[in-house]
Amino acid sequence: MQLLVYSQVWRSCSSRLFVRIFPGSSDPGTLIAGRRQIHEGVVALSYDLYDGSAPGSPLVLLHGLFGSKSNFQSIASALVRNTGRKVLTLDARNHGSSPHTNIMTYHAMSADVQHILEKLHIPKCILIGHSMGGKTAMTLALQQPQLVERLVSVDISPSQSIPQSIPQSGFPKFITAMQNVRLEGNMPRSTARRLADEQLSTIVKKPAVRNFLITNLVQENGNFKWRVNLEAISSHLHDLMDFPEFHEPYPGPTLFLGGADSPYISSENYNEIERLFPYANVEYIIGSGHWVHADKTEDFLNAICNFVQTT
C-alpha cells in the first residue's frame, strides 16, 4: 500500500499515535460452520471459521450494526490467503444467525466474543471490528487485554458521545422503516426484495443503504421477516451510539482505520484514543466512506495485512 500523504502527525511526550492517509479474489480457506445455542445467559454466537495453516493468533472479524458475518466472506478468504492464518467471523447477538435477546450492550457483546474464544480454545486473537463491532472489540480489549494480541477498529472511535456532525438520527429512521415493511403471503425472494426496497425508499433515500438493510430479509416457513432483532436494537440504540467508560488503557498495538470521507474518526477523538489506546496508529483510506472494507477492499486488506505482519 503506497503512502500518499501524511495528513497530520500528532503526538505528545507520552503518545505513539500517528495519523496517515493512504490511497484509495477468490481462493477461500476451508469453511467450518458454527452452531446456534445459548449458554449461561451468554449468547453463543453463530460463526464461520476459515482454516489457515500458518502459526500465529487467528484474526477475528466483528461486523457493524445491521450487518452479519456474511459481509466478511470474501475478506476472510483473502486474509487466509494473504496471511495464512485462521480467520473467524461472528454474527453479533440479534444479528445474522445468532440468537435474539433483549440485552444489547457492549459489555454483553464483549462477553459473547470472549465465550466463543473460550469455546474454540483461542487463547489470544487479533481482533478486527467495524463500527458497532469496533466498539465491541475495543470493549473486550480494554476488559480482557490478555485475549487480544492486536486490535483494529474500523471507522469508529471510543468516544462516549457522537459529534453532532454524524447523522445518528438515521438509525431510528432505518428501524422504523424496516418495521413498517409489509410483505403479505408467499412470494419469490426477488419480488419480496423489490417490494421491501419500494417501501423502504420513502424513508431510506440511498439505494446502497437500502440494499444493505435488505440483506437482513430472510424467508422462514414461507414468510419473509427481518433476521435482526429490531426491538432490542431500538431499545438499546443509545447504548450502541455511546461507549462504556474505562480508566485503564489497552497496552497492545492498535490500528484505527477510517474512511477519509467518513466523520466517525476525527481529530476530536484523538485525545480519547491516546488515553485508552496509547500505542495506536490512526490511518485513513482515501475514497472510502464508513464501509471501508466494501468501498476500498484492496486498500483495506493491505492495511490489515501490514498491521498484522508489523513486528
Side-chain angles (χ1 to χ4, degrees):
M1 184 164 56
Q2 181 184 3
L3 178 64
L4 274 190
V5 182
Y6 276 91
S7 64
Q8 183 176 1
V9 179
W10 176 89
R11 64 174 103 174
S12 69
C13 59
S14 61
S15 173
R16 298 191 182 182
L17 186 149
F18 300 90
V19 181
R20 296 185 287 180
I21 290 187
F22 290 93
S25 51
S26 61
D27 181 20
T30 304
L31 184 64
I32 307 168
R35 293 187 297 175
R36 178 175 174 172
Q37 56 182 315
I38 299 282
H39 176 70
E40 296 181 353
V42 175
V43 171
L45 304 178
S46 175
Y47 67 89
D48 290 334
L49 180 61
Y50 297 76
D51 200 15
S53 58
S57 299
L59 281 63
V60 179
L61 301 178
L62 309 181
H63 64 78
L65 188 61
F66 298 120
S68 71
K69 65 181 185 292
S70 63
N71 301 150
F72 290 123
Q73 283 181 341
S74 61
I75 295 286
S77 296
L79 287 172
V80 172
R81 185 170 62 250
N82 293 339
T83 69
R85 300 192 187 203
K86 291 182 172 64
V87 177
L88 176 67
T89 62
L90 305 175
D91 279 336
R93 60 171 58 200
N94 296 317
H95 288 72
S97 299
S98 286
H100 287 188
T101 174
N102 292 331
I103 304 301
M104 191 74 183
T105 66
Y106 287 115
H107 286 297
M109 289 188 284
S110 168
D112 294 343
V113 177
Q114 182 176 349
H115 175 250
I116 198 70
L117 294 178
E118 293 172 353
K119 175 182 176 180
L120 297 178
H121 307 290
I122 298 174
K124 184 169 289 192
C125 69
I126 296 175
L127 198 52
I128 305 166
H130 170 248
S131 196
M132 178 188 77
K135 287 190 174 183
T136 301
M138 287 186 279
T139 300
L140 179 58
L142 290 163
Q143 288 180 315
Q144 303 290 341
Q146 75 282 0
L147 298 178
V148 183
E149 179 182 304
R150 288 171 178 259
L151 172 68
V152 182
S153 180
V154 182
D155 208 55
I156 204 70
S157 75
S159 298
Q160 295 189 19
S161 59
I162 300 295
Q164 294 299 316
S165 60
I166 295 177
Q168 60 176 339
S169 59
F171 291 113
K173 292 179 181 178
F174 296 165
I175 294 170
T176 299
M178 294 170 75
Q179 290 173 327
N180 289 338
V181 168
R182 295 292 179 264
L183 300 172
E184 303 296 339
N186 196 357
M187 66 184 75
R189 179 173 174 80
S190 59
T191 302
R193 290 176 63 91
R194 176 177 58 80
L195 292 174
D197 182 73
E198 290 175 358
Q199 295 177 49
L200 289 172
S201 66
T202 60
I203 295 177
V204 185
K205 300 302 182 182
K206 293 183 177 181
V209 176
R210 295 199 302 273
N211 289 337
F212 174 66
L213 296 177
I214 289 173
T215 62
N216 290 290
L217 189 64
V218 295
Q219 192 171 23
E220 191 172 282
N221 299 322
N223 296 313
F224 285 90
K225 57 178 283 188
W226 299 111
R227 64 181 175 180
V228 287
N229 187 345
L230 294 174
E231 290 73 22
I233 293 171
S234 179
S235 63
H236 284 277
L237 199 54
H238 176 76
D239 294 309
L240 297 175
M241 295 299 102
D242 207 341
F243 187 72
E245 184 176 355
F246 291 97
H247 300 288
E248 295 297 322
Y250 167 67
T254 306
L255 172 63
F256 286 85
L257 185 61
D261 299 333
S262 172
Y264 280 85
I265 301 176
S266 73
S267 58
E268 297 178 2
N269 308 132
Y270 294 165
N271 285 338
E272 188 67 358
I273 289 174
E274 181 192 16
R275 184 179 74 84
L276 291 176
F277 302 96
Y279 298 96
N281 282 7
V282 178
E283 299 176 5
Y284 295 94
I285 293 179
I286 290 176
S288 172
H290 183 54
W291 284 275
V292 182
H293 52 287
D295 292 343
K296 291 289 184 178
T297 302
E298 289 303 316
D299 291 336
F300 172 83
L301 287 169
N302 287 338
I304 297 297
C305 291
N306 288 343
F307 179 68
V308 168
Q309 296 164 0
T310 299
T311 57

